[in-house]
Amino acid sequence: MRYRNIQGTDLNVSCLCLGTADMGSNLKEEESFRLLDAFVDRGGNFIDTAHVYGDWVPGTKSLSEKLIGKWLKQGGKAKDVIVATKGAHPELGKREPRLSREDIVKDLDESLEFLGLERIDLYYLHRDDPSRPVSEILETLNEQVKKGKIRYFACSNWRVNRLDEAVKYAEEHGLQSFKANQILWNYAVSNHSPRSDSTIVAMDSESREYYKKTGIAVVAFTSQARGFFAKLEKEGPDGLKSWVRNTYYNEENLKRFERAKELAGELSTSISAIVLAYLTSQPFTTIPIVGCQNLNQLDDSMRASDLELTPEMLQFLENG
């Protein structure tokens, strides 16, 4: 397992991050615990969740955080893992931003309670509110750092202009700033903008140059394009779910599929490992989140943990 340092911190995280969005809801406790244990046993130490994960189940709250809290307590794994969670997400089904001081502190305090932690290693703001000054947001987060509730903080789905504004404000005022941005990024080329949610931010060429220049870490969600390439290899186009097909099925991705399959053959690995290594081998710290439903999927993803692609291989994957 390779590890990467998140710039400006003492966090050395595994090059793959285990996503837990379905844990406690679509994935029940026994299978969730099995996946968490296996991830750590295979060298993984970076776990991603969010205060809103599981809220889609009527009458419940933060099912993922609560499950991870139970796992940490029962398994005694807290000292072995770096737990990241996200807060200040709009209420599900609504688009009104929730980035006031009260919203941030409320979600943070509840996350600490549900996870059973005194301090969160990396705390993300799940969405941005461009109408709210970065000064106010950073002052709130730095206050929580001083109180010992979080070690470092990051953002999710922030555009680089806002991220850069926050970085500059923090530098000018001697404050801690965002250490990473969690955004949508994978090897595939999308047919359209991310879903129908304008608050989701995807990687683009301008943003890649920014992260390369600054070294700010990127944590990539939907890192395997919802299994597009692996499904295409195993079952062909007919095996793709309709929305995955509508999002990723195009001539460019068919060419990328053939190149990834060719490289996988040369390196004696799986196409899933190539797709993930495309991200972990970038010239700036990039950590893909893997959302696994079973041990077979986890093991397939973990094949990327010791695979590092050369710049020439990355060029081949993108352009042939």
Side-chain angles (χ1 to χ4, degrees), residues 30-73:
E30 183 179 357
E31 185 63 20
S32 298
F33 280 19
R34 187 178 295 117
L35 286 168
L36 287 161
D37 286 338
F39 180 67
V40 174
D41 290 343
R42 288 155 175 74
N45 72 346
F46 195 21
I47 295 173
D48 178 83
T49 185
H51 196 50
V52 75
Y53 288 168
D55 285 6
W56 41 81
V57 178
T60 66
K61 180 63 183 170
S62 305
L63 292 178
S64 175
E65 287 186 331
K66 289 176 179 176
L67 182 140
I68 292 169
K70 186 174 182 180
W71 174 75
L72 289 170
K73 183 178 180 180

Side-chain angles (χ1 to χ4, degrees), residues 8-33:
T9 78
D10 59 359
L11 299 178
N12 291 308
V13 300
S14 50
C15 66
L16 300 178
C17 178
L18 183 63
T20 66
D22 287 335
M23 292 186 182
S25 53
N26 298 330
L27 275 178
K28 300 309 178 187
E29 181 177 299
E30 183 179 357
E31 185 63 20
S32 298
F33 280 19

